[in-house]
Amino acid sequence: MKNKIIIFAIGILVGAASWGVVSLVSDRYEPFDSGLGFYIGQFILSIIAFWVGYKKRFRDLAVYLIGAYIGMNAYAYIFGGSEQRAWASLGMVTTITLVVFPLVFGVIGIIISSLQKKYNKAN
């Protein structure tokens, strides 16, 4: 249980960071409006998702992705302006797309880990 809380907290922090990095690399606020910010945020989320998938189980990956989703939306709501708050409910729907690449990378990590275990058992 403690492990899942840590993974969830990491997800929240990384999700918020993936949104916050956009304003550091561009004059935009949202990842959808900045190509570089979008790719950097997705890279950060995906690398950690791959690691969680490789080292842990699918359940842990799901906990990480839920935490990242909450972190993204919380960052946008807390640090965004009145426009972001007004669009918060729509933002909660559109930010689901921001966890697709991390999900894919996490599943790739799970697949590589399971193939490695099968190969090690065979030898």
Side-chain angles (χ1 to χ4, degrees):
M1 182 65 171
K2 180 181 176 187
N3 188 25
K4 290 194 184 1
I5 293 171
I6 292 170
I7 291 173
F8 184 71
I10 289 170
I12 289 174
L13 293 173
V14 173
S18 74
W19 197 280
V21 74
V22 175
S23 59
L24 296 175
V25 298
S26 73
D27 61 343
R28 304 291 179 177
Y29 178 73
E30 296 184 16
F32 302 111
D33 297 335
S34 167
L36 181 61
F38 172 80
Y39 291 121
I40 291 172
Q42 289 296 289
F43 179 77
I44 294 167
L45 287 165
S46 296
I47 290 299
I48 296 175
F50 178 84
W51 178 82
V52 170
Y54 183 79
K55 289 290 188 182
K56 306 294 181 184
R57 298 173 20 202
F58 184 79
R59 187 176 300 153
D60 296 317
L61 176 63
V63 167
Y64 166 74
L65 293 174
I66 290 168
Y69 172 79
I70 291 170
M72 285 184 253
N73 287 293
Y75 183 91
Y77 190 83
I78 293 168
F79 297 108
S82 59
E83 184 178 350
Q84 278 78 23
R85 287 187 197 95
W87 290 95
S89 58
L90 179 62
M92 291 177 75
V93 174
T94 58
T95 54
I96 291 173
T97 61
L98 294 176
V99 295
V100 172
F101 285 131
L103 172 64
V104 170
F105 275 80
V107 170
I108 290 170
I110 291 169
I111 291 169
I112 290 173
S113 176
S114 67
L115 289 174
Q116 221 173 21
K117 288 175 186 173
K118 285 182 184 180
Y119 176 77
N120 289 339
K121 277 186 181 178
N123 289 332

